[in-house]
Amino acid sequence: MSARTRIGEELVAVLAAREDASVPELLTALRSAGLNRVPRSQVEQVLGADQRFVAEDVAGRSRWRLNDGPDPDPDPDPGPDTRAQLDALALRPWQAEALAAWSATCRGVVEAVTGTGKTRLAMAAIRTVADRGGRSLVLVPTLDLQEQWVRELRVLVPGLSVGRLGGGGDDDLHGHRVVVATPQSAATVPLDLPAGVVGLLVADEAHRYGAASWGRALAEDFVLRLALTATYERSDDGLVEVLEPYFGPVVFRYGYDRAVREGSVAPFRLALVGVPLSAAEQVRHHAADARVRALHHELVGGLGMPREPTALLAAVAAVVAEAQGAQDGGRQVRACREYLVRLRERREVAATAAAKLEVCTRLAPALAGRRTLVFTDTVEQAEAAAGVLTAGGRRAAPLHGGLDARTRRERLAALRHGRLEVVVAPRVLDEGVDVPDAEVALVLAAFRTRRQLVQRLGRVLRIKADAREARLVLVTARGTLEDPARGGHAEFLTEIRPVAREVVEVDLPAGGDALVAWLTRPRIG
């Protein structure tokens, strides 16, 4: 007898002896019966998935009783229908393994690099839950992703009514088997489940839901929970305080090493391009850097704040947030405020170095016929880079939040259909946008986080129909903290160097011809 079956039988015995019971009361009874290590989540899962049990709301709390209807199969098997539907999804080996790992408890986080098919994995979970009578809520961070999910669900998981909440939709789980919602809408208009029906909550780009405002969309009524992310990390306590208590642990990871080995992503080559700061930029960078070091010494040595960089930054941000609105706040508040300002100034000097636009000038001819994404730090840098590329003969356009939604959609469609060759964007393409498959990623604003670089590389790693390679050009300002020679992007580079087909290091301006030759090599091989 499986653990799930035994739990079900014990619950039947408990509820047969009483009118109804809450989950805590059922847990106490199970432990009295010798099931001492059964977690609450597993009991809730059995109650929700087994049709012998129904829940009723009593004074705002769920109480469970035995179903008065016909006695269904206590441990239903998906059967040939569900298996056929899952076969139709054509899961890759890693997706099948991840689904099995998640199915052990029906809670958890799946971390898989961008472009490898997390969405299809989630659709397999949705299909399985639907065939057992359950319903699913999918949370997505943007309206673009909402449209993508609705479209793909209707194609890949046919036969289910798919609704949407947000973006003009107000559907619910009483009239639809699946609802795709933005977190803002789901938090404002909570979605309840039909009585006795088990619910699955899928969170796409799950690392975002660690923020308090988004976390309100994580409804407790959904006892089955699946989090999807390419990079399960945050700079605050959101993982520990919000995500882990709700979703549980990471149950499966799929990194670049295995994804490249199994052909789940396109083969790729990486160029690390170093550019110099101008004389004026060097003066600004040196001044900001010197002030950051002095303030670091004051904060750690004089004010007793944490020495570890991530912990220090979190502590500084907390001090500033707590003192928000205060004119002075004392020595610590002043030092913390200036520390953040000087950190930002130092990073921005490197990220927006004028020489990075020279890379666009040199590479413009080589980008002909290559669908390209250029990532910048600011809107101004995006506009300038698009102008340089256009002057170099490329059909290029910027894409940023200052444009209306229709213009952004039109430019992405133009890239998809070949009317544009290059789109230039400051972070708007990192997450939450249905971006056309591209061949080249040119990253000018390099010094952010590992998560940002993983997302950007993923934009060009989707498998190409003709087996073409992808190219990632990572441009950094020499002598700054984004310079790999000074440890810049160490975690990201450690992860991808072993699996890239080639990693070249080029210094500009001297290495311009070598960079062009590298980019224009044959693209299949």
Side-chain angles (χ1 to χ4, degrees):
M1 180 185 296
S2 69
R4 174 179 168 172
T5 300
R6 185 181 174 195
I7 293 170
E9 294 304 319
E10 292 291 346
L11 290 171
V12 168
V14 172
L15 291 173
R18 59 175 76 185
E19 184 176 343
D20 58 26
S22 66
V23 171
E25 291 168 346
L26 291 170
L27 276 170
T28 300
L30 289 177
R31 286 164 185 158
S32 298
L35 296 175
N36 297 317
R37 298 185 178 181
V38 176
R40 176 175 179 146
S41 60
Q42 193 170 11
V43 172
E44 290 174 336
Q45 177 193 338
V46 172
L47 288 167
D50 193 324
Q51 296 178 38
R52 291 178 294 177
F53 310 113
V54 293
E56 293 181 340
D57 186 81
V58 179
R61 295 180 179 273
S62 292
R63 294 190 67 83
W64 291 86
R65 62 173 177 80
L66 289 178
N67 193 344
D68 296 329
D71 186 22
D73 181 358
D75 195 9
D77 184 87
D81 216 25
T82 298
R83 290 196 184 97
Q85 295 283 2
L86 293 180
D87 288 345
L89 283 168
L91 297 182
R92 295 170 182 158
W94 85 262
Q95 292 165 329
E97 290 176 36
L99 181 63
W102 174 79
S103 297
T105 61
C106 291
R107 291 195 181 190
V109 180
V110 173
E111 182 183 56
V113 293
T114 304
T116 53
K118 294 185 291 296
T119 302
R120 191 170 291 245
L121 159 68
M123 290 183 183
I126 291 169
R127 174 81 267 172
T128 302
V129 170
D131 288 348
R132 292 173 179 260
R135 309 208 171 185
S136 298
L137 169 63
V138 180
L139 297 177
V140 296
T142 66
L143 294 177
D144 285 325
L145 274 184
Q146 182 188 53
E147 179 62 32
Q148 179 184 348
W149 269 87
V150 169
R151 184 173 63 247
E152 293 189 14
L153 276 164
R154 288 173 176 168
V155 172
L156 296 174
V157 194
L160 298 183
S161 56
V162 180
R164 67 182 80 204
L165 178 64
D170 60 355
D171 297 321
D172 60 38
L173 288 168
H174 290 265
H176 296 80
R177 303 294 293 280
V178 184
V179 169
V180 184
T182 60
Q184 298 89 342
S185 298
T188 304
V189 185
L191 287 168
D192 63 332
L193 292 158
V197 172
V198 66
L200 165 66
L201 185 144
V202 177
D204 196 11
E205 307 286 6
H207 53 274
R208 294 190 176 200
Y209 297 84
S213 57
W214 286 38
R216 286 195 289 270
L218 304 177
E220 290 295 330
D221 288 348
F222 294 82
V223 297
L224 315 181
R225 301 165 184 178
L226 172 60
L228 307 173
T229 181
T231 48
Y232 193 50
E233 57 188 44
R234 289 181 61 89
S235 58
D236 57 19
D237 295 328
L239 294 187
V240 174
E241 294 182 356
V242 179
L243 298 179
E244 290 179 7
Y246 186 81
F247 290 105
V250 175
V251 295
F252 193 88
R253 282 191 168 94
Y254 192 60
Y256 283 119
D257 52 351
R258 183 174 169 187
V260 171
R261 186 171 67 249
E262 295 182 349
S264 297
V265 296
F268 67 96
R269 299 179 190 269
L270 169 67
L272 302 175
V273 181
V275 300
L277 295 177
S278 68
E281 289 167 345
Q282 285 180 345
V283 170
R284 287 184 59 211
H285 186 272
H286 177 75
D289 185 61
R291 190 62 185 142
V292 165
R293 294 175 185 276
L295 288 165
H296 182 277
H297 179 75
E298 179 181 355
L299 292 170
V300 174
L303 295 170
M305 299 188 75
R307 181 175 299 276
E308 195 277 322
T310 302
L312 174 61
L313 189 59
V316 166
V319 169
V320 171
E322 187 175 346
Q324 188 172 11
Q327 293 298 313
D328 187 345
R331 174 189 172 193
Q332 184 183 49
V333 172
R334 290 195 302 273
C336 287
R337 284 172 173 163
E338 187 182 359
Y339 184 69
L340 293 180
V341 169
R342 299 306 175 193
L343 277 178
R344 188 179 305 113
E345 181 182 8
R346 183 178 67 178
R347 189 197 63 76
E348 287 177 353
V349 171
T352 61
K356 291 184 175 182
L357 292 180
E358 292 300 315
V359 179
C360 295
T361 300
R362 295 300 298 266
L363 290 184
L367 295 176
R370 298 169 186 265
R371 188 180 289 159
T372 300
L373 304 175
V374 180
F375 297 90
T376 66
D377 188 67
T378 64
V379 170
E380 293 75 18
Q381 191 180 31
E383 298 275 3
V388 166
L389 289 163
T390 299
R394 301 282 61 80
R395 299 187 303 277
L399 191 79
H400 52 73
L403 302 170
D404 60 78
R406 179 178 177 179
T407 300
R408 293 198 301 270
R409 287 195 300 270
E410 287 175 348
R411 291 185 179 180
L412 285 174
L415 180 68
R416 181 176 290 109
H417 297 298
R419 297 190 298 275
L420 282 177
E421 295 171 293
V422 186
V423 163
V424 189
R427 299 190 295 279
V428 72
L429 296 179
D430 290 356
E431 298 176 348
V433 180
D434 184 11
V435 179
D437 293 344
E439 179 183 344
V440 178
L442 174 55
V443 183
L444 303 183
F447 185 53
R448 283 284 181 176
T449 63
R450 169 185 170 271
R451 180 174 72 235
Q452 190 177 52
L453 287 174
V454 168
Q455 294 284 1
R456 290 175 174 184
L457 179 56
R459 295 306 189 190
V460 297
L461 284 191
R462 287 185 173 85
I463 298 171
K464 317 296 186 288
D466 59 1
R468 277 176 297 149
E469 295 177 334
R471 306 292 171 96
L472 175 66
V473 182
L474 183 58
V475 185
T476 60
R478 290 198 299 270
T480 70
L481 289 183
E482 64 179 35
D483 186 349
R486 292 190 58 184
H489 313 302
E491 185 180 2
F492 174 74
L493 293 175
T494 298
E495 187 175 357
I496 68 169
R497 275 183 186 272
V499 295
R501 282 192 169 180
E502 179 185 31
V503 179
V504 299
E505 299 184 19
V506 179
D507 277 345
L508 291 187
D513 291 341
L515 180 61
V516 171
W518 174 83
L519 188 60
T520 53
R521 286 182 197 167
R523 292 174 277 177
I524 299 178

